[in-house]
Amino acid sequence: MKHLLSSILTLILCTVMLLSVHAQDVKKIDIKSLTQSEIEKAQKAMIDAGLSEEEAIKLARQRGATEQQINEMRQRLSEQDTSRRNMYNLYEEPEILPEQDTINSQRTSEFAKELKVFGAYLFNNENLTFEPQLNIQTPKNYEIGYGDQLLIQIWGNSQNTYQLRVNNNGQIVIPDLGPIYVAGLNFEEAEKKIIKNLTAIYADMGGDNPGTFAQLDMGQLRSIRVNLLGEVVTPGTYTLPVTATVFNALYLSGGPNEIGSFRNIKVIRNNKIEKLVDIYNLLVNADPTDNITLKDGDIIFIPPVEKHVMVNGEFKRNGIFEIKEGEMLSDLVRFAGGFKAQAFLGNTQIVRQAQQGQQIIDVTYEQLSTTPLVKGDTIQNTLITDRFENRVSIEGAVYHPGEYEWTEGLTLAQLIKKADKLLPEAFKGRGLITRYNSDRTTSAIAFDVEDISSGKQNILLKPDDEVLIKTHFDLKEQPYITVNGEVLEPGPFNWSNNMTLGDAIFLAGGLTEGADSTFIEIARRLSYSDASILSDTIGHVIIANISRGLQLGKNDAEMILHPWDQVSVRTAPNFRQNTTAFVSGEVVYAGAYAITNKQMRISDLVRLAGGYTPRAYLEGATLERFSEELGAEQVAINLDAIIDDPGNDKDLLLKDGDRLNIPEFMQTVKIIGSVQNPYSITYESGRSAKYYINRSGGFQAQANKKKTYVQYPNGETAVTKGFIVKRYPRVTPGSMVVVPEKQEKQGNQGAWLAIASTMASLAVSIATIINITN
């Protein structure tokens, strides 16, 4: 049902979009603004057309429908009257065949979802099914009946296979042997009888040393018909496999309806009650004995429920439960899974409906097993209070902060001892107790930590007292230094007394190869006395040097650092990492070359590569360069001019990672874009772009002629010039002539063309579907 509704919503959305003649662009359609009448008309048109979900989605997306529009349409349709869904009901026939089990697994009991009747999820949970078991080993006591298929396998000196069905006379008919009556026999009895009769055909099957053997197996089992009556979601006659049980039938029918009983289900066989089924036996006690196997002609009758009660509160399972006569409140608590850990057991309340109004009944834990329930009762339970009766806490500078038990006469010194004494860094000058007054306001009580720990002072604690002792680190800013620049592990580091410059470089992992150890800058804050005087000075700078080996000695490495010092190690002025440029293509020695001089240029790279070969096409040479700002890019160069005049402005300085490529001489010109026949043409000297365009069949109607341009092999471009008389760019070997298209103009004509195209597509789709269905 869910999948069908999804398809209908999608089809309606597509129809609305395809039939809308007021919008030039499908994306501009506001689904929320469509009237209900428009949606209903579109719905009818789509259903009449018979478009499938896939075809509708494809058409909608071809016209530019967005996923947001699809979602909005689904929401609009979900808000309509649920009566519309009834016209798409898939379950018109009451008889259900075994192969329809998967369809019925989608059936849900809407009332159970809303009211959360305990047990209803068995019949509306997609992840839990009670489907009949078909592929199971045949029990020896299985009773063979009319319609069963028997498989007989013969092997040994003789070989044969029989597939026989029990006829209406209870017989199977074996060729060359005749009928054998097997109906009513169990599987083991039937096997012995059939093998005994087969000895009339296969003489060596009997005796003490047989040469032919036989085996009986069950094939397709017969079907049975059962009737589900009473308060069933979908009552009727059901055709089921012979192995079906009561729960199979209940599952396929949707189970009890909103007033059906879950605990008094009757299985009637031969006009007698064969079994009273209580589903709670399975749900609460895990007892499946009520789930008996059905027989042909059985009636499953679900009477109305007699007593419903509701559970709401601190129980493991809340919802509506069915109670039998004689069951007590303790039974209901058991059905609800028991109390939660935080439930207040001292008082469970029953809210009962009376003729004079509602009543509240308080039930103690001891009265649960003797308190009866009546129809309509609501049982509720509350949380225990979250307040502690005997708690004190201590936080901060102790080894084990946390909550502790308060006892009469507990002192602050005893609490500190419980917390495994003070930390060495504890601030001894002050601590604080936060105490709750009777009205839950608080009072602050300060104490001297040193006096408490030495025994000079003691304080008697009260319940809920909160003790806070800080460390001296908590009461001041933690000093640190910073090391940056040419060190292996730059960053901030905790400052310590007597820390030196060498210590700081050591913490930062030492100097890099590019560090200038003779020029290290130390930026220092103003002292407290200097900072108290208003001036333009905000800090001091100290220049120092250090041994690269960080050995201890009498030099600036032993300079004492102050808190907040910032150490910056500069890069040596002429230090450079190894840099490399690459050359490929038509050179004598292609490969990587080290850049050894800041003034090395492209011409130098060609020279180092042994020069270019006779087949080199210098006009097509390109330079690929990478930069952090622009990433990888192609740089247009004129290698011919660079070789003729090395060192000129076009002869670029090399950078690390540069890649020069000199291609082989090119012999073709490529024409792409809005031309009749885009392809590559052999280069002819002296020809302009117009010549190659004509060779490709000329411009197409939508070609933007004045925007025609030529892209040369080295990356440069040249555009067409002139207004009345166009001057097309020159073309070199390996060039690409590009003819762009004009942008479509938006107007009424375009809108009507789009509408016509849409209607034509819809007509073709409908015609195709009609032809298929016919």
Side-chain angles (χ1 to χ4, degrees), residues 483 486-490 504-512 515 548 550 569:
V483 183
E486 293 297 328
V487 290
L488 294 177
E489 299 175 4
I505 300 298
F506 177 79
L507 289 173
L511 302 174
T512 67
R548 296 190 65 87
L550 297 180
V569 182

Side-chain angles (χ1 to χ4, degrees), residues 527-549:
S527 65
Y528 292 117
S529 58
D530 291 342
S532 63
I533 301 173
L534 183 63
S535 70
D536 292 336
T537 303
I538 58 175
H540 302 296
V541 173
I542 303 169
I543 306 299
N545 63 80
I546 191 172
S547 170
R548 296 190 65 87

Side-chain angles (χ1 to χ4, degrees), residues 89-235:
N89 187 11
L90 296 179
Y91 305 101
E92 297 178 357
E93 296 296 330
E95 180 173 310
I96 302 175
L97 300 178
E99 60 267 22
Q100 293 175 308
D101 292 352
T102 55
I103 297 177
N104 285 280
S105 67
Q106 300 173 7
R107 186 187 305 274
T108 59
S109 179
E110 293 298 328
F111 86 94
K113 281 188 174 182
E114 295 173 1
L115 299 180
K116 299 180 181 179
V117 176
F118 181 60
Y121 67 87
L122 284 176
F123 310 110
N124 54 50
N125 189 338
E126 295 181 357
N127 299 320
L128 177 65
T129 62
F130 289 95
E131 298 181 354
Q133 294 293 322
L134 300 178
N135 299 320
I136 59 175
Q137 182 179 359
T138 305
K140 293 296 184 182
N141 61 352
Y142 173 74
E143 183 179 315
I144 295 175
Y146 307 109
D148 280 341
Q149 185 185 46
L150 304 183
L151 306 178
I152 305 173
Q153 185 72 34
I154 308 296
W155 76 94
N157 294 335
S158 300
Q159 297 182 0
N160 204 347
T161 300
Y162 300 98
Q163 297 184 8
L164 307 172
R165 191 174 294 279
V166 180
N167 60 28
N168 292 335
N169 295 323
Q171 304 166 330
I172 58 172
V173 180
I174 300 178
D176 301 325
L177 181 61
I180 302 175
Y181 191 86
V182 294
L185 299 178
N186 62 41
F187 179 80
E188 187 173 16
E189 294 170 344
E191 184 177 35
K192 291 179 180 178
K193 184 174 183 179
I194 291 171
I195 292 176
K196 180 179 179 180
N197 282 271
L198 284 172
T199 57
I201 303 177
Y202 305 100
D204 59 347
M205 185 177 291
D208 297 332
N209 190 22
T212 301
F213 305 90
Q215 177 177 310
L216 178 66
D217 291 306
M218 296 300 299
Q220 183 177 356
L221 301 180
R222 67 185 184 274
S223 298
I224 61 173
R225 292 168 68 86
V226 298
N227 296 292
L228 280 94
L229 305 175
E231 304 304 330
V232 189
V233 171
T234 310

Side-chain angles (χ1 to χ4, degrees), residues 278-434:
D278 186 347
I279 295 177
Y280 283 19
N281 279 341
L282 176 66
L283 296 179
V284 179
N285 304 321
D287 182 2
T289 54
D290 286 354
N291 191 25
I292 63 173
T293 302
L294 297 173
K295 290 190 176 182
D296 190 44
D298 280 354
I299 296 174
I300 300 176
F301 177 73
I302 302 179
V305 64
E306 295 182 359
K307 188 187 299 184
H308 265 162
V309 296
M310 180 177 290
V311 171
N312 181 27
E314 295 306 310
F315 299 91
K316 294 179 180 179
R317 185 185 296 119
N318 284 330
I320 297 176
F321 294 82
E322 181 178 347
I323 297 297
K324 286 184 176 181
E325 193 64 35
E327 290 181 334
M328 300 296 171
L329 181 54
S330 58
D331 297 307
L332 178 61
V333 173
R334 182 167 56 91
F335 297 157
F339 294 101
K340 291 182 179 179
Q342 63 271 31
F344 178 56
L345 303 181
N347 184 28
T348 299
Q349 289 187 331
I350 301 175
V351 178
R352 180 164 294 170
Q353 305 290 334
Q355 294 297 320
Q356 297 79 17
Q358 293 186 337
Q359 299 176 348
I360 293 180
I361 303 172
D362 292 334
V363 182
T364 64
Y365 186 79
E366 293 75 16
Q367 295 173 327
L368 294 177
S369 59
T370 58
T371 302
L373 299 169
V374 300
K375 180 171 62 176
D377 279 353
T378 297
I379 290 79
Q380 56 193 24
N381 188 281
T382 58
L383 287 168
I384 58 177
T385 178
D386 58 354
R387 292 188 179 182
F388 287 87
E389 296 179 354
N390 61 338
R391 176 189 64 176
V392 290
S393 64
I394 183 169
E395 299 294 335
V398 291
Y399 279 100
H400 291 91
E403 297 176 345
Y404 290 89
E405 178 187 7
W406 174 86
T407 55
E408 191 71 37
L410 181 69
T411 65
L412 178 55
Q414 291 172 334
L415 178 61
I416 293 175
K417 184 177 180 180
K418 280 189 173 186
D420 201 12
K421 69 184 180 181
L422 297 171
L423 295 174
E425 61 269 26
F427 177 67
K428 302 294 184 65
R430 178 184 293 269
L432 192 67
I433 299 174
T434 301

Side-chain angles (χ1 to χ4, degrees), residues 478-481 493-499 560-564:
Q478 182 63 32
Y480 65 91
I481 62 165
F493 302 95
N494 290 331
W495 175 84
S496 302
N497 287 324
N498 300 318
M499 177 180 283
I560 300 297
L561 296 180
H562 293 189
W564 327 116

